Amino acid sequence: MPDDAPTALPADLPTDPTADPSAAPTAAGIGGPTPTPLPTRPVVPGFHPDPSVVRDGDGYVLVCSSFEYAPGLPVFRSDDLVTWDLVGHAWDRPSQLRLDGLRPSGGVYAPTLRRHDGRFWLVTTNVNDGPGHLLVTAERPEGPWSEPVRIAEAGGIDPDLAWDEDGTCYLTWCDGGIQQAVLDPTTGRLLSAPRRIWSGTGGKHPEGPHLHRVGDTWYLLVAEGGTGHGHAVSVARAPSPAGPFEPSPHNPLLTARGTESVVQNAGHADLVERPDGTWAVVFLGVRPVGYFPGWHVLGRETYAAEVTWRDGWPVLGAPVQPTAPAAEDETLPPHDLPVGWVGAGVFPADVLRWSGDAWRLAAPAGDAADEGATAADAPGRTFVGRRQEHTRVTVRGQVEPGDGTGGIEVRIDPDHALTLEVEGARVRAVARVGSLVSVLGEAAADATTVLELRADASPFHVYSHRRGPDELVAVVHGPDGTVELGRLDGRYLSSEVAAGFTGRMVGLVASRGEVVVRSFTYAGHDAEPEA
C-alpha cells in the first residue's frame, strides 16, 4: 500500500455546505451562475510548470518540469501548501540528465512524484533521451536521487505511477490518449501490454494523467484542451486503477477558459490529502497582461486550491495562496551558487567557476562568433542564471570582459533575449527577436561599470494596442555616468512570441572566451494585477 494512501471513503470526505447541486462548481464559467474563483497568486512563482505533489508526514513535497535547464526537476518542500522552499534538484548530474542536442523547450517534461515503501519515486520523460521514460528514487526530497531506470517499452510523455493494495505498480501515460500498463519499477519492464483506459471528455491533447485511490475508488485526473486558453482538468473514477472509468458530471474540475480570471490557461493538476483529511489540488496557470490577446512572460506557474467532495466527486474549492505577493532580493555569493541557479543546456559547474575573488564564465567551446564577426552576430552563448519570478525586476551585474565577451541577460530562449554585453572598453545593449538582432545602444565601460536590466510597467494606456506585459530597459552605470542604452517591448520576450513551454530567465552570459563576474543581484516584486 502506498505510504500516502488515504483511508477515508468518498462519502466520508468533507463536502461544501454552500454548494448548489444544480451548478457545476468550477472556474469554467459554464454550467453554473457563480463559478469558483481561481487563485490570483502562485504558490511557486515563475517558470515552474506541471506540478506533482505528495504528502510527507505533516508536510508536502512538490516537483516541477524543467525542460532544457540543468540541473533538472526542482524539488520543493512545504508545511502548508503556500510557502515552498527549493531543497534541490532530482536530476543534478550528467549521468541522470542527457543534454546532447538539447533545444529550447526540449529536455525534461512533466513528472510524477509519489511515495511508496518508505521512498520517493519520481518518473518523467526526457524527450532528448529516448526511448521511453526515466524513473529515479530517493529516501529524502533533498536526495541523493538514484541513477535512472529506463522504461523503454512505453512511449509518449507525462508518465504517472500508482500502486494498488497488493503492491502492483501501474504506469499511466499519454500517447494518443491515456495509456496504462503494469510496471516492474525496479527494472523498468512492462508486465502487461499497454491499453488505453480513457480519452478525456473530448478536449484536444488529453495528457498529464494522475491516478489516486480514495477509499475503494480510483480517481484519474487528466489535463485536456491544450496548455493554452482551452486548458482544463477533467476527472473520472473507477473501481480499479485499470478502469472502467466514468467521467464526473461536474467536469471540468478546473479551468479558466472564458473567464476574466487573472490566472489563465489553468490545468495539469495533481491532488493531495492533508493530514486532517481535507484535500487540495496543485495546478499550473499563467498571468497574461497587456492589450488583446494578452502576453505572459514568467512562464507557467504553480497554483493551489481547496478541493471539496460532492456525491463522491472532487470539486474545486477556495484558493490556497499567499496573503500578499512576496518580494525577493538575491545576491550571487562567492564559492557556491544559489540552489535555484541553472544552465541552459549545460550544468553550471561545467562553465562557471569561482577563482580568486570572482566568478568566471566560459563561452561555448571554440568561439561562438565566426571569424571577423561581432559579438552581436554570435550564434551561440553560454547562459547560467535563475528564473524571473516577479512581474517587476531589476538585475545588476559587474562584469569584466578580460579577453572575452559577455555580460547579463534576460531571455525566454537564445533567440528572444535582451543582453548587456561588455567587450573591451565598450558595452552594448543587444536585442534578439527571432532572426532579428539589433544593437540598441553602446557606451564606454571600465572595471567599475555596473550593468542593469529592468522589467518596468508598460508606459502605454491599458486600452492601447501598444500595451504589452512590461517594458525592458537596459542601463549602464559607467565612466559616462548613468546611461540608458535602449528599451524593448516586453511582448517580444513573451511565450506568445517566442513559443515554447518555459518562461523568462535572468542571469549571466558569455559569447566569446571567458568573462569575469564580480557581482550579480536580483531584486523583484509583483505589481498589482491589471483591472
Side-chain angles (χ1 to χ4, degrees), residues 34 38 49 98 103 142 150 166 175 201 256 292 315 348 358 363 367 406-407 429 480 493 506 510:
T34 54
L38 289 174
R98 178 179 173 183
R103 66 187 190 279
E142 298 85 350
R150 185 176 298 276
D166 67 7
D175 190 5
T201 65
F292 177 85
V315 296
D367 284 351
D480 298 330
L493 268 64
V506 296

Side-chain angles (χ1 to χ4, degrees), residues 4-18:
D4 58 344
T7 57
L9 297 174
D12 301 326
L13 293 171
T15 60
D16 180 358
T18 65

Side-chain angles (χ1 to χ4, degrees), residues 158-183:
D158 299 0
D160 175 84
L161 293 175
W163 285 262
D164 68 11
E165 289 185 340
D166 67 7
T168 301
C169 180
Y170 292 84
L171 178 75
T172 307
W173 70 96
C174 163
D175 190 5
I178 307 303
Q179 308 283 338
Q180 188 184 85
V182 176
L183 173 72

Side-chain angles (χ1 to χ4, degrees), residues 73-273:
L73 297 168
V75 181
F76 297 84
R77 185 194 290 276
S78 175
D79 293 329
D80 58 7
L81 291 176
V82 176
T83 302
W84 293 87
D85 296 318
L86 179 63
V87 297
H89 293 80
W91 286 4
D92 61 2
R93 53 193 185 272
S95 60
Q96 298 170 307
L97 176 52
R98 178 179 173 183
L99 300 173
D100 298 348
L102 201 58
R103 66 187 190 279
S105 290
V108 182
Y109 277 34
T112 293
L113 177 68
R114 292 295 178 255
R115 188 163 172 79
H116 176 73
D117 278 350
R119 298 185 66 81
F120 292 94
W121 301 72
L122 196 161
V123 64
T124 188
T125 314
N126 180 351
V127 298
N128 289 83
D129 184 8
H133 312 292
L134 298 166
L135 172 63
V136 294
T137 67
E139 294 182 357
R140 303 168 62 246
E142 298 85 350
W145 291 82
S146 69
E147 291 299 307
V149 171
R150 185 176 298 276
I151 308 170
E153 300 167 283
I157 57 173
D158 299 0
D160 175 84
L161 293 175
W163 285 262
D164 68 11
E165 289 185 340
D166 67 7
T168 301
C169 180
Y170 292 84
L171 178 75
T172 307
W173 70 96
C174 163
D175 190 5
I178 307 303
Q179 308 283 338
Q180 188 184 85
V182 176
L183 173 72
D184 181 344
T186 61
T187 66
R189 290 184 54 245
L190 297 187
L191 303 181
S192 68
R195 56 184 291 269
R196 183 178 295 189
I197 60 171
W198 200 41
S199 296
T201 65
K204 67 177 181 180
H205 304 319
E207 57 189 8
H210 287 308
L211 192 58
H212 293 270
R213 183 175 64 82
V214 184
D216 294 328
T217 303
W218 289 84
Y219 292 85
L220 177 62
L221 271 66
V222 170
E224 55 182 339
T227 196
H229 294 305
H231 210 198
V233 174
S234 297
V235 61
R237 70 184 182 189
S240 83
F245 285 93
E246 61 167 323
S248 168
H250 310 300
N251 278 329
L253 172 64
L254 65 87
T255 186
R257 64 192 181 203
T259 74
E260 295 182 351
S261 173
V262 169
V263 175
Q264 292 291 319
N265 303 10
H268 200 110
D270 200 8
L271 287 172
V272 66
E273 186 185 20

Side-chain angles (χ1 to χ4, degrees), residues 408-410 416-420 429-431 440 453 472-474 488 493:
I408 66 174
E409 183 169 274
V410 54
H416 299 84
L418 178 60
T419 313
L420 275 172
V430 182
L440 304 183
L453 292 171
L472 300 173
V473 185
L488 183 66
L493 268 64

